[in-house]
């Protein structure tokens, strides 16, 4: 014998579970829907470049640094180095 389901029973046992599944699916896929289009392999890259922790514009230009002070040695010695050298190279880059 097959039981007869009323409209109310059908709503409770079928409608509510379908509604719960639909809401959960919407919550799961909402973030990917909101993000917009993604890069697909084989297509050209359309997004602007992003450089995280790249150089900032506030760093000084090495060509505009002030000149080094005059070198002084111990009393009675001669100074063989050039006295007014612009600071454009050297340092950790090893380009002396």
């Amino acid at each position: 014998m097959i039981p007869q389901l009323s409209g109310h029973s059908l709503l409770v046992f079928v409608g509510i579970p379908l509604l719960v599944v639909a809401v959960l699916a919407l919550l799961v896929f909402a973030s990917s829907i909101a993000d917009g289009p993604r890069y697909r392999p084989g297509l050209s890259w359309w997004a602007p470049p992003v450089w995280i922790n790249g150089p900032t514009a506030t760093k000084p230009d090495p060509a505009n640094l002030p000149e080094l002070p005059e070198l002084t040695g111990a009393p009675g010695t001669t100074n063989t180095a050039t006295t007014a050298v612009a600071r454009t190279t050297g340092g950790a880059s090893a380009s002396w």
Side-chain angles (χ1 to χ4, degrees), residues 48-63:
V50 177
W51 192 352
I52 299 171
N53 290 334
T56 60
T58 59
K59 291 184 178 178
D61 183 17

Side-chain angles (χ1 to χ4, degrees), residues 12-93:
V12 169
F13 293 114
V14 175
I16 293 175
L18 282 177
L19 181 65
V20 169
V21 168
V23 168
L24 289 176
L26 182 66
L27 289 174
V28 167
F29 294 113
S31 64
S32 63
I33 292 170
D35 285 341
R38 294 179 9 188
Y39 170 73
R40 301 290 182 192
L43 298 179
S44 62
W45 183 254
W46 48 266
V50 177
W51 192 352
I52 299 171
N53 290 334
T56 60
T58 59
K59 291 184 178 178
D61 183 17
N64 296 329
L65 290 176
E67 293 183 358
L68 294 173
E70 189 172 317
L71 297 174
T72 58
T77 60
T78 58
N79 194 0
T80 57
T82 307
T83 59
V85 179
R87 193 182 335 179
T88 58
T89 60
S93 66

